[in-house]
Amino acid sequence: MRWLETDTANCSVQRTLDVIGEKWTLLVLREAFNGVRRFDDMRRHIGMSEPILADRLRKLVAAGILRPVPYREAGHRTRNEYRLTDKGMDLFPVLVALLQWGDRYCADEDGPPVVVRDRVSGRPVAAVVVPAGTAGLTARETESTPGPGARPVPADRPARAAPVPRERIGCHRNRPRP
């Protein structure tokens, strides 16, 4: 049977996109992989509205990708932070692949804003296709560090991020960097 003769109703790519295929969802996952677990911290760092963030967190919890863990700071009500489950941790190669592609085709001329490294050797990691059963690094064995294109968060960042200039939507380079 050839691809065009195959029913795609049960396609794993399509089903995965139904769960994580929204821009804001991927940004929430990026934050979780970088240790940002609390609602207000995520909202401020990503620059998304409270209703959108609450919706994405609900969906990720319902899908078993994040789990809420209660915490309470002195003088405040109990709230949840959101931690990756094993199912969520298995999305790490997906985020690294997106990051790697973006670094190659969309990064500023200064270079990538973040570099994911092996915690032991310090070497940058890469998402590659390997034979099944071949061991690779997990999210717990890596760390994200500022890259040459990193910039500090502006002190006056509004609650919602400013719109991306039209010329910056999508990738602005058509070929890989040398």
Side-chain angles (χ1 to χ4, degrees), residues 93-107:
V94 174
L95 269 286
V96 170
L98 287 170
L99 176 69
Q100 183 177 321
W101 189 90
D103 286 350
R104 186 169 186 183
Y105 295 103
C106 303

Side-chain angles (χ1 to χ4, degrees), residues 18 25 46 50 58 62 75 81 110 120 127 147 158 173:
D18 288 344
T25 301
I46 300 172
E50 288 185 23
R58 262 191 304 278
E81 61 181 29
D110 296 340
V120 175
R173 281 206 284 280

Side-chain angles (χ1 to χ4, degrees), residues 4-103:
L4 290 176
E5 298 166 344
T6 306
D7 182 6
T8 60
N10 68 343
C11 172
S12 294
V13 172
Q14 182 175 334
R15 288 181 175 180
T16 301
L17 290 174
D18 288 344
V19 177
I20 65 161
E22 298 169 324
K23 167 189 164 183
W24 293 118
T25 301
L26 290 169
L27 293 177
V28 168
L29 289 171
R30 176 197 66 192
E31 296 303 301
F33 275 110
N34 284 299
V36 180
R37 297 183 177 108
R38 296 184 177 181
F39 186 94
D40 289 336
D41 292 337
M42 281 187 193
R43 185 185 58 74
R44 269 192 303 277
H45 199 240
I46 300 172
M48 70 170 40
S49 71
E50 288 185 23
I52 291 175
L53 178 56
D55 178 65
R56 295 317 182 273
L57 289 170
R58 262 191 304 278
K59 288 179 179 178
L60 290 167
V61 168
I65 294 169
L66 293 177
R67 65 182 169 86
V69 177
Y71 74 92
R72 183 174 182 183
E73 292 180 352
H76 292 86
R77 66 181 173 86
T78 300
R79 302 185 69 176
N80 287 326
E81 61 181 29
Y82 297 88
R83 296 185 182 210
L84 290 156
T85 62
D86 289 341
K87 184 177 180 179
M89 293 296 273
D90 283 347
L91 288 166
F92 182 67
V94 174
L95 269 286
V96 170
L98 287 170
L99 176 69
Q100 183 177 321
W101 189 90
D103 286 350

Side-chain angles (χ1 to χ4, degrees), residues 163-170:
V164 176
R166 193 142 195 85
E167 65 273 6
R168 288 297 311 264
I169 294 175

